[in-house]
Amino acid sequence: MALVSHMQSSKNGLSLLATIFSMVTKSTTSYETSPASFMDDSRLMEDLQGKQKQKSEMQKELDRLNDNLTFEKQNLEVADCDCDIFRSLCNEKNAELQVALTEKRNLELRFS
């Protein structure tokens, strides 16, 4: 659930970054400079840095989740292998019990 939220935030963040980039590009290509535009540029740059930090944190979280998924997948493969071994042992034991039961019945028939 958190990953979906992060992904939606990432899309919004990318959209915001595109808007910011567009604004910064427009403001740097215009020849007018005013104290207000410097303040806007500064605020936009802070926003951009904040979004870059957020993107970096999200990438770290994604990497952590990927590592956890890989670990759990390996655990599942080991458990699956153990299950196959256990099933094989149960089948062998069942076959031995069937043979023993047949021998018991034959002995009972002989002595009756």
Side-chain angles (χ1 to χ4, degrees):
M1 195 97 173
L3 183 57
V4 171
S5 174
H6 283 309
M7 289 173 69
Q8 290 171 345
S9 295
S10 177
K11 287 180 184 178
N12 292 339
L14 289 175
S15 176
L16 179 62
L17 284 175
T19 303
I20 291 170
F21 179 76
S22 174
M23 295 171 122
V24 168
T25 303
K26 288 177 184 176
S27 70
T28 57
T29 56
S30 70
Y31 294 103
E32 296 179 32
T33 56
S34 67
S37 70
F38 283 126
M39 290 176 66
D40 287 342
D41 289 349
S42 175
R43 185 175 52 81
L44 290 174
M45 195 55 109
E46 287 174 10
D47 288 347
L48 179 61
Q49 289 171 347
K51 293 300 178 186
Q52 287 172 335
K53 182 179 178 186
Q54 182 182 16
K55 179 185 173 190
S56 174
E57 290 169 358
M58 289 172 53
Q59 185 61 48
K60 287 177 187 176
E61 178 67 11
L62 184 60
D63 290 344
R64 186 188 67 76
L65 289 171
N66 192 29
D67 289 345
N68 287 345
L69 183 61
T70 300
F71 178 75
E72 291 302 326
K73 185 177 178 183
Q74 290 170 348
N75 285 343
L76 184 59
E77 289 170 356
V78 168
D80 191 39
C81 183
D82 289 346
C83 185
D84 289 343
I85 291 169
F86 182 69
R87 186 178 296 114
S88 176
L89 291 173
C90 286
N91 289 338
E92 287 176 21
K93 197 51 89 173
N94 186 43
E96 289 174 12
L97 288 172
Q98 291 300 323
V99 168
L101 184 61
T102 302
E103 288 176 3
K104 179 184 176 230
R105 286 183 185 152
N106 288 338
L107 284 173
E108 287 174 346
L109 286 174
R110 236 194 268 161
F111 290 115
S112 47

